[in-house]
Amino acid sequence: MADQIPLYPVRGAAAVASRKRAAYYSAAGPGAERPGRFQLEDESAHLDEMPLMMSEEGFENDESDYHTLPRARILQRKRGLEWFVCGGWKFLCTSCCDWLINICQRKRELKARTVWLGYPEKCEEKHPRNSIKNQKYNVFTFIPGVLYEQFKFFLNLYFLIVSCSQFVPALKIGYLYTYWAPLNQRIPSDMVFLRTSEKAGSCFIRTDQLDGETDWKLKVAVSCTQRLPALGDLFSINAYVYAQKPQLDIHSFEGTFTREDSDPPVHESLSIENTLWASTIVASGTVIGVVIYTGKETRSVMNTSNPKNKVGLLDLELNQLTKALFLALVALSLVMVTLQGFVGPWYRNLFRFLLLFSYIIPISLRVNLDMGKAAYGWMIMRDENIPGTVVRTSTIPEELGRLVYLLTDKTGTLTQNEMIFKRLHLGTVSYGTDTMDEIQSHVMNSYSQMYSQASGNNANSTPPRKAQSSAPKVRKSVSSRVHEAVKAIALCHNVTPVYEARAGVTGETEYAEVDQDFSDENRTYQASSPDEVALVQWTESVGLTLVNRDLTSMQLRTPGGQILTYCILQMFPFTSESKRMGVIVRDEATAEITFYMKGADVAMSTIVQYNDWLEEECGNMAREGLRTLVVAKRALTEEQYQDFESRYSQAKLSVHDRMLKVAAVVESLEREMELLCLTGVEDQLQADVRPTLEMLRNAGIKIWMLTGDKLETATCIAKSSHLVSRTQDIHTFRPVTSRGEAHLELNAFRRKHDCALVISGDSLEVCLRYYEHELAELACQCPAVVCCRCSPTQKARIVKLLQQRTGKRTCAIGDGGNDVSMIQAADCGIGIEGKEGKQASLAADFSITQFKHIGRLLMVHGRSSYKRSAALGQFVMHRGLIISTMQAVFSSVFYFASVPLYQGFLMVGYATIYTMFPVFSLVLDQDVKPEMAMLYPELYKDLTKGRSLSFKTFLVWVLISIYQGGILMYGALLLFESEFVHVVAISFTALILTELLMVALTVRTWHWLMVVAEFLSLGCYIASLAFLNEYFGIGRVSFGAFLDVAFITTVTFLWKVSAITVVSCLPLYVLKYLKRKLSPPSYSKLTS
């Protein structure tokens, strides 16, 4: 049925093409042949005719199947002048700049290379310098860059022009200051690992700043160079390294090492385990390598994106409102000049009117908002409920209140990266944490019986080979089955025990060959995966302990203290493609060769022998949030192993398609393996992760998890953290490598409803290449998305995709160096100080110590910052609009003369000491208490709609300003006809009182500092009436007129000023009361 659903193109196409598409997908009937899955790749013409269509109107099927999908296509681009005005000019400028940059900085083509040891003259090609520059500016670009970042805002550019105009005497209308105001060892490059001081020929490195994983990775030196007698011999041999061309993938590498001066020549294959990437840290011993990639060709640089300048959505909205105010300013000035009749030098009068009404766009808007942002940052860092929080960017605190998408890392962010063994299932019996003592007794009994039987035989004789044939009979008992399972888990891994040096004994930590101290308190385990460590620690707890390991052997200690030695013949590391790992070992006591393997159930279910319990039990453990591993084994004869080894060595030397050839050889062993057990491990979550994620979901925030970990691990964490609810379906996007496969898989995903998406980085890359819009639209409909095996650049690309396709605000949170690109690309970046260092924390806009703190950071501080800045910004604009309205009325009365109503110092005082403190005290206002905001996260959802600051609310404030400005000026002129010389003092006094009362009208929750600010400002104004009376004349009209101090103490002055103030404010108080009664806000029920 799925293949019969027709797909139609977005744009109109010919009828013939439509018939071709319909015929292709309907395929005539159930029995008709349909083109194969991989056949689509060769039929690109068909795919070009069949673009995925995601919008509702494109389907002829039942609308109910697609009712959740929004309109898919963006409106066609506007053309002509409208397109140019609405943003086309910006697109053209950007395109030109990009073209110039590409011309100046053409990228070299990346190629494979051959690096000779000790013979640099043989290198024919030049490579980049090994210098990495990550600074944003240099000595030439700093000043132009900073000026551009400031004056790209219309508000700042406007103030600059107004300020400069005051240097022209004919345009000067006030004092200049009215307008001019200040506003271990890190690996340096990508190398092939040649030699180490560790006797084992291997070392551990930390890659937390590269892939975000805190576990140490085991790296192996090239065996040919490790065996050289002395270090200096590296420069005397005739050898070279062939390396593939530089690429983004940090998890793979293909190359060869060739030594030509030996007989016969030595050829060794190189893989990811032989590499040391730049920005990783050597954790044990010292290493020597040959550099293969430098500078911008290293993996770490190729996976790092350039930071951007972040601008808050509130600032962008205010910038748009500023442009609207400027248009109003120009229109008002033109009206004034027109009413003058364009007499005299009208263009000069026009510019003077522009300056007179320039308070429509108040310079204090930028100052107040920036001071408010600083205050919000101070409040965040002083919050005792989120200790250790640091605000590193003071320009975007309001963004915390507008978020729609949260993109989070997994390891160290949602989880502690600490594993605990929880479950062992043998098919007929299951063991949990409360029955581990039974496993311990079974292991102890098995080894005691084994050595009691061995003591009866000749100690020097080798155990007979017939033990292999009798093994199936022994495995029938539960005790022996438990023993086999525990032994397999203790052998099949990549864990290495490390012994710490005793304090005061020696300053070095190294393996001792003879008198190694195997004491438990001195031993720690290191591995590339915490799952591995958890399994080995569990085998130690039940009696079988890993005590030593090198590249060729490992030793186990039994409960009785005996040491069992196993020779490691081959290791098959875990890959995201195979989803399993294996090891071939030889028991030195019995010479038995055994192939052990463990992996994900999806990979192992087809490898092990038939059983009727594995699938069901894997599902049960997954529902409990446990990470499952299936363990199996196969016994090999000496002949079987020798045949495999020869084919395996030949495949590893292949330069082309090496991975496919090696995988084919290994798969020849993976047949009819004996299923031993199923294990379940729990990854410990960070504190309060589940309630925090639930709170964020209730707040309307969609959460995406982007991780470099395996698909199975990411899925388990998504379930255990309740990122995906237990009742919710999960759609796992199958691996795709071509356009045809992506086309079919997206069709399958499209028919799913209300399910979480799990997709790998490779599949994501293919889909983004061909179907970026369709994938983004479908993924945005999912309640949760999990992207696994993501590189740092892929994480950043996903963030940018959401920003471009949805236009919503994004937040990225992580704790490792691999999260820096994602954090810097997001509108708001949050870093966590954790085990992976401070790189993410230092690169982020906000730094926290625990993931649970993000709840209070968003619900309380983000919400408050946005609502306070919205109120503050609109009130400051109201303060400029009301005085500009009064200026317009005044100029109209005086025959449209371009004469200022108030002198310069009064204008400065109006925006500073008279009203600044009460207006700025709005940063302390709150509609609900922090506890209520945390309890009801649904209040946060309203903020994403931007209703606190919109053209609607802006228009309301404009109307209020026009009404109050008109009342104040006309009231002053009407009531004070006989005392016209005092009109400045009367109108200005009423204006100050009105502003103070409007602040009180705007406040929702009073703070004691607000009361202090109100009375302090009123006191400052009263004092200025007495001591600065010479400034209350009417400009040049009443030049030389001074305010009579006795006049302002009369009852007439007081009641007339009070009357004007009451008329300007009382109606607004009445309207506010009626609105709260008839249409109360969402938070009013919580505060009552």
Side-chain angles (χ1 to χ4, degrees):
M1 292 297 294
D3 297 323
Q4 296 177 6
I5 296 179
L7 296 173
Y8 298 97
V10 178
R11 297 171 293 277
V16 176
S18 300
R19 286 195 296 272
K20 284 182 180 180
R21 287 189 295 275
Y24 178 88
Y25 278 95
S26 58
E33 291 187 2
R34 180 176 57 84
R37 178 187 176 106
F38 298 99
Q39 196 173 343
L40 282 174
E41 186 177 0
D42 302 326
E43 299 179 4
S44 58
H46 285 200
L47 289 173
D48 290 333
E49 294 177 355
M50 295 178 296
L52 281 169
M53 177 59 185
M54 300 300 169
S55 61
E56 300 163 351
E57 60 267 27
F59 295 104
E60 294 182 356
N61 300 75
D62 183 11
E63 282 190 354
S64 62
D65 292 339
Y66 311 100
H67 70 279
T68 58
L69 295 176
R71 303 287 176 184
R73 297 297 178 186
I74 302 172
L75 296 176
Q76 291 187 354
R77 290 183 178 176
K78 302 171 183 175
R79 295 298 177 188
L81 181 61
E82 185 183 5
W83 171 80
F84 184 81
V85 173
C86 294
W89 64 272
K90 189 182 296 184
F91 172 77
L92 291 176
C93 292
T94 305
S95 301
C96 292
C97 292
D98 292 341
W99 178 77
L100 289 174
I101 291 173
N102 290 332
I103 291 296
C104 299
Q105 299 178 348
R106 288 183 176 176
K107 293 184 178 179
R108 293 191 318 110
E109 181 183 358
L110 301 178
K111 298 179 181 178
R113 71 276 315 268
T114 300
V115 182
W116 290 82
L117 272 68
Y119 296 93
E121 64 276 3
K122 290 187 177 183
C123 185
E124 300 176 355
E125 186 179 355
K126 291 185 177 180
H127 300 293
R129 294 175 56 198
N130 193 34
S131 61
I132 300 172
K133 298 179 180 179
N134 54 12
Q135 71 264 31
K136 190 172 183 179
Y137 302 109
N138 58 35
V139 68
F140 300 106
T141 62
F142 176 73
I143 293 179
V146 171
L147 290 178
Y148 169 75
E149 291 300 329
Q150 290 299 321
F151 294 114
K152 70 180 180 181
F153 289 104
F154 181 79
L155 190 68
N156 294 345
L157 183 61
Y158 170 77
F159 291 146
L160 177 66
I161 296 173
V162 170
S163 302
C164 292
S165 71
Q166 294 306 286
F167 289 104
V168 181
L171 301 178
K172 185 176 179 181
I173 63 170
Y175 297 108
L176 183 62
Y177 60 77
T178 305
Y179 307 99
W180 202 272
L183 300 180
N184 286 338
Q185 297 180 353
R186 193 169 295 276
I187 296 174
S189 58
D190 290 355
M191 300 192 296
V192 167
F193 185 14
L194 297 180
R195 191 177 177 88
T196 177
S197 59
E198 299 288 302
K199 295 181 175 60
S202 62
C203 75
F204 285 104
I205 65 169
R206 294 195 349 240
T207 63
D208 48 4
Q209 301 303 322
L210 186 65
D211 61 5
E213 301 300 318
T214 57
D215 307 293
W216 292 7
K217 307 294 190 299
L218 183 68
K219 295 295 181 177
V220 181
V222 176
S223 59
C224 177
T225 52
Q226 179 67 23
R227 290 194 300 264
L228 293 175
L231 178 61
D233 294 339
L234 281 174
F235 303 99
S236 61
I237 62 175
N238 186 14
Y240 64 87
V241 171
Y242 170 81
Q244 64 181 165
K245 68 178 184 180
Q247 58 184 17
L248 289 171
D249 190 1
I250 61 177
H251 300 292
S252 67
F253 173 77
E254 290 184 4
T256 56
F257 178 88
T258 303
R259 181 176 179 181
E260 295 183 335
D261 57 355
S262 61
D263 189 23
V266 176
H267 300 280
E268 285 192 38
S269 65
L270 302 177
S271 63
I272 187 65
E273 67 179 6
N274 305 116
T275 60
L276 303 170
W277 296 144
S279 297
T280 58
I281 296 176
V282 179
S284 62
T286 58
V287 299
I288 296 173
V290 56
V291 175
I292 52 175
Y293 308 124
T294 56
K296 59 186 179 183
E297 291 182 348
T298 59
R299 292 294 204 272
S300 60
V301 175
M302 294 181 73
N303 279 281
T304 302
S305 58
N306 295 324
K308 67 172 185 178
N309 290 306
K310 297 186 180 181
V311 180
L313 183 58
L314 182 79
D315 292 326
L316 296 177
E317 292 169 342
L318 286 172
N319 198 45
Q320 296 298 323
L321 295 180
T322 304
K323 294 176 183 178
L325 288 175
F326 177 74
L327 294 177
L329 168 63
V330 174
L332 181 59
S333 301
L334 285 173
V335 169
M336 287 295 179
V337 174
T338 303
L339 293 175
Q340 272 186 337
F342 293 97
V343 294
W346 64 269
Y347 51 88
R348 189 175 67 182
N349 290 336
L350 174 63
F351 207 92
R352 285 181 61 85
F353 275 121
L354 288 172
L355 295 176
L356 279 175
F357 300 139
S358 63
Y359 286 97
I360 289 179
I361 309 174
I363 192 172
S364 57
L365 175 61
R366 184 78 268 158
V367 177
N368 276 274
L369 288 175
D370 288 343
M371 290 173 59
K373 295 173 189 289
Y376 306 146
W378 182 81
M379 294 176 189
I380 291 173
M381 290 190 287
R382 289 292 299 269
D383 191 342
E384 296 179 353
N385 294 291
I386 48 175
T389 302
V390 179
V391 178
R392 303 193 186 279
T393 304
S394 61
T395 58
I396 56 171
E398 300 91 354
E399 290 295 275
L400 295 171
R402 308 289 297 276
L403 302 178
V404 177
Y405 289 96
L406 175 67
L407 301 100
T408 175
D409 181 37
K410 177 189 71 69
T411 307
T413 303
L414 296 179
T415 70
Q416 300 179 22
N417 209 26
E418 295 179 0
M419 309 295 172
I420 300 179
F421 192 94
K422 288 288 188 179
R423 189 71 56 83
L424 179 72
H425 204 291
L426 301 179
T428 58
V429 59
S430 177
Y431 297 95
T433 54
D434 54 343
T435 55
M436 292 300 174
D437 54 338
E438 297 182 21
I439 298 178
Q440 188 174 6
S441 63
H442 283 311
V443 172
M444 190 176 299
N445 293 335
S446 296
Y447 279 107
S448 62
Q449 292 176 7
M450 184 183 303
Y451 284 101
S452 64
Q453 293 174 1
S455 62
N457 300 328
N458 187 351
N460 296 326
S461 64
T462 302
R465 290 295 182 97
K466 67 179 181 181
Q468 286 188 356
S469 61
S470 63
K473 297 181 181 179
V474 175
R475 281 196 293 270
K476 291 181 181 179
S477 66
V478 175
S479 181
S480 60
R481 288 170 59 195
V482 170
H483 166 240
E484 283 294 330
V486 173
K487 184 171 74 171
I489 296 172
L491 291 172
C492 187
H493 53 74
N494 62 0
V495 180
T496 301
V498 177
Y499 292 89
E500 302 288 342
R502 292 185 179 275
V505 177
T506 176
E508 300 178 355
T509 302
E510 59 181 12
Y511 294 111
E513 297 181 354
V514 180
D515 55 347
Q516 177 65 58
D517 179 14
F518 289 155
S519 60
D520 295 341
E521 66 275 5
N522 211 33
R523 179 178 56 251
T524 58
Y525 295 112
Q526 296 295 343
S528 59
S529 170
D531 302 62
E532 303 271 70
V533 175
L535 292 173
V536 173
Q537 288 176 338
W538 174 77
T539 61
E540 178 184 358
S541 68
V542 296
L544 196 58
T545 305
L546 175 68
V547 294
N548 195 9
R549 179 180 184 150
D550 54 29
L551 293 178
T552 59
S553 66
M554 70 176 81
Q555 293 179 328
L556 303 179
R557 188 180 63 201
T558 66
Q562 296 86 1
I563 300 297
L564 306 178
T565 303
Y566 294 86
C567 179
I568 302 176
L569 302 178
Q570 296 291 346
M571 278 291 299
F572 312 111
F574 180 92
T575 64
S576 57
E577 292 78 18
S578 67
K579 297 182 176 61
R580 55 190 180 271
M581 66 87 60
V583 60
I584 300 178
V585 297
R586 177 188 281 118
D587 189 341
E588 292 194 354
T590 63
E592 293 178 353
I593 301 176
T594 308
F595 174 34
Y596 291 104
M597 177 163 283
K598 69 181 179 186
D601 57 304
V602 292
M604 298 291 292
S605 58
T606 58
I607 295 175
V608 299
Q609 297 172 349
Y610 172 78
N611 62 87
D612 57 358
W613 59 272
L614 181 60
E615 182 179 358
E616 179 182 358
E617 291 303 326
C618 284
N620 292 337
M621 289 190 186
R623 281 187 287 273
E624 297 177 20
L626 301 181
R627 303 164 67 161
T628 58
L629 284 174
V630 179
V631 184
K633 78 167 188 175
R634 178 185 175 185
L636 301 176
T637 63
E638 188 69 32
E639 294 77 15
Q640 287 175 325
Y641 173 72
Q642 294 299 331
D643 174 63
F644 166 80
E645 185 183 31
S646 62
R647 291 184 290 118
Y648 187 66
S649 300
Q650 185 177 1
K652 286 202 299 181
L653 290 175
S654 300
V655 176
H656 302 290
D657 298 327
R658 178 191 296 178
M659 294 179 63
L660 294 176
K661 294 177 181 178
V662 169
V665 174
V666 175
E667 285 176 3
S668 65
L669 284 183
E670 300 170 344
R671 296 173 183 172
E672 291 297 310
M673 298 189 70
E674 178 187 352
L675 176 60
L676 296 178
C677 65
L678 174 68
T679 65
V681 177
E682 181 184 38
D683 189 356
Q684 293 287 90
L685 297 174
Q686 295 276 5
D688 296 331
V689 162
R690 294 189 180 106
T692 302
L693 291 178
E694 183 180 0
M695 178 193 300
L696 296 175
R697 275 199 303 270
N698 293 337
I701 298 176
K702 293 186 177 181
I703 306 167
W704 290 32
M705 185 170 75
L706 312 181
T707 177
D709 214 335
K710 304 186 293 290
L711 185 144
E712 293 77 18
T713 305
T715 305
C716 286
I717 294 301
K719 291 178 180 178
S720 63
S721 65
H722 294 177
L723 176 65
V724 178
S725 62
R726 297 188 178 184
T727 59
Q728 209 165 52
D729 292 333
I730 296 179
H731 177 81
T732 303
F733 206 91
R734 288 186 293 180
V736 296
T737 56
S738 65
R739 184 178 182 181
E741 295 177 19
H743 187 93
L744 294 177
E745 191 61 26
L746 282 171
N747 276 336
F749 176 42
R750 185 197 63 206
R751 291 186 286 272
K752 300 291 183 69
H753 299 292
D754 192 35
C755 67
L757 172 65
V758 179
I759 185 171
S760 66
D762 295 336
S763 300
L764 179 70
E765 194 70 28
V766 175
C767 292
L768 291 179
R769 187 181 308 139
Y770 299 113
Y771 300 112
E772 180 180 283
H773 174 80
E774 288 78 6
L775 177 66
E777 182 190 11
L778 287 172
C780 290
Q781 300 303 308
C782 297
V785 176
V786 177
C787 299
C788 57
R789 285 296 178 189
C790 279
S791 66
T793 50
Q794 281 181 324
K795 292 183 178 183
R797 187 176 177 186
I798 293 172
V799 173
K800 294 175 183 176
L801 178 67
L802 286 176
Q803 293 170 337
Q804 296 168 359
R805 293 296 179 183
T806 67
K808 305 296 184 181
R809 311 311 280 179
T810 59
C811 175
I813 180 171
D815 68 322
N818 65 317
D819 301 316
V820 169
S821 296
M822 172 178 70
I823 288 172
Q824 292 179 337
D827 298 300
C828 178
I830 301 177
I832 298 180
E833 292 187 15
K835 297 179 180 178
E836 299 181 19
K838 291 187 176 183
Q839 190 167 348
S841 169
L842 294 175
D845 306 305
F846 303 91
S847 172
I848 58 178
T849 56
Q850 297 184 54
F851 180 81
K852 66 178 182 180
H853 291 169
I854 194 175
R856 187 174 179 89
L857 190 63
L858 269 57
M859 299 301 111
V860 176
H861 294 286
R863 184 174 181 276
S864 299
S865 298
Y866 168 61
K867 293 184 77 70
R868 289 166 175 171
S869 285
L872 180 62
Q874 292 177 118
F875 200 95
V876 172
M877 286 189 288
H878 155 75
R879 190 172 62 183
L881 282 167
I882 190 173
I883 201 167
S884 298
T885 302
M886 296 176 69
Q887 177 67 55
V889 173
F890 176 78
S891 296
S892 302
V893 171
F894 281 91
Y895 306 102
F896 310 104
S898 55
V899 177
L901 171 60
Y902 303 121
Q903 293 190 37
F905 184 82
L906 288 184
M907 298 301 294
V908 174
Y910 172 68
T912 54
I913 60 174
Y914 296 153
T915 61
M916 183 186 72
F917 298 116
V919 172
F920 186 71
S921 68
L922 291 175
V923 301
L924 301 172
D925 191 21
Q926 61 181 21
D927 53 356
V928 295
K929 294 181 178 180
E931 296 77 15
M932 300 300 290
M934 294 285 288
L935 189 60
Y936 297 97
E938 292 79 8
L939 294 172
Y940 185 91
K941 193 181 300 184
D942 294 337
L943 304 186
T944 58
K945 301 173 183 177
R947 291 175 178 171
S948 297
L949 177 63
S950 63
F951 273 101
K952 179 182 177 181
T953 59
F954 170 69
L955 183 59
V956 170
W957 277 105
V958 169
L959 295 176
I960 291 174
S961 302
I962 294 174
Y963 166 75
Q964 290 186 325
I967 290 295
L968 291 173
M969 201 64 230
Y970 277 114
L973 295 174
L974 180 65
L975 296 179
F976 294 94
E977 259 185 69
S978 58
E979 302 124 350
F980 193 73
V981 72
H982 299 138
V983 71
V984 172
I986 296 164
S987 61
F988 197 78
T989 302
L991 174 63
I992 297 300
L993 293 177
T994 297
E995 285 299 297
L996 297 180
L997 289 175
M998 285 300 295
V999 171
L1001 177 67
T1002 307
V1003 169
R1004 288 160 295 196
T1005 303
W1006 283 93
H1007 190 280
W1008 67 271
L1009 285 175
M1010 294 179 176
V1011 179
V1012 171
E1014 290 268 332
F1015 284 104
L1016 178 63
S1017 297
L1018 183 60
C1020 290
Y1021 178 68
I1022 293 174
S1024 66
L1025 283 175
F1027 297 105
L1028 302 175
N1029 56 356
E1030 68 272 15
Y1031 289 99
F1032 286 87
I1034 312 176
R1036 296 173 184 173
V1037 176
S1038 58
F1039 183 75
F1042 295 94
L1043 179 66
D1044 186 2
V1045 179
F1047 170 72
I1048 63 174
T1049 60
T1050 61
V1051 176
T1052 303
F1053 172 81
L1054 294 176
W1055 81 259
K1056 288 185 177 182
V1057 168
S1058 301
I1060 296 175
T1061 305
V1062 169
V1063 173
S1064 67
C1065 295
L1066 183 60
L1068 300 179
Y1069 273 83
V1070 174
L1071 289 175
K1072 178 182 179 181
Y1073 175 79
L1074 292 176
K1075 183 181 179 182
R1076 288 185 64 90
K1077 285 294 183 183
L1078 300 178
S1079 180
S1082 58
Y1083 60 84
S1084 60
K1085 295 180 181 179
L1086 304 179
T1087 56
S1088 59

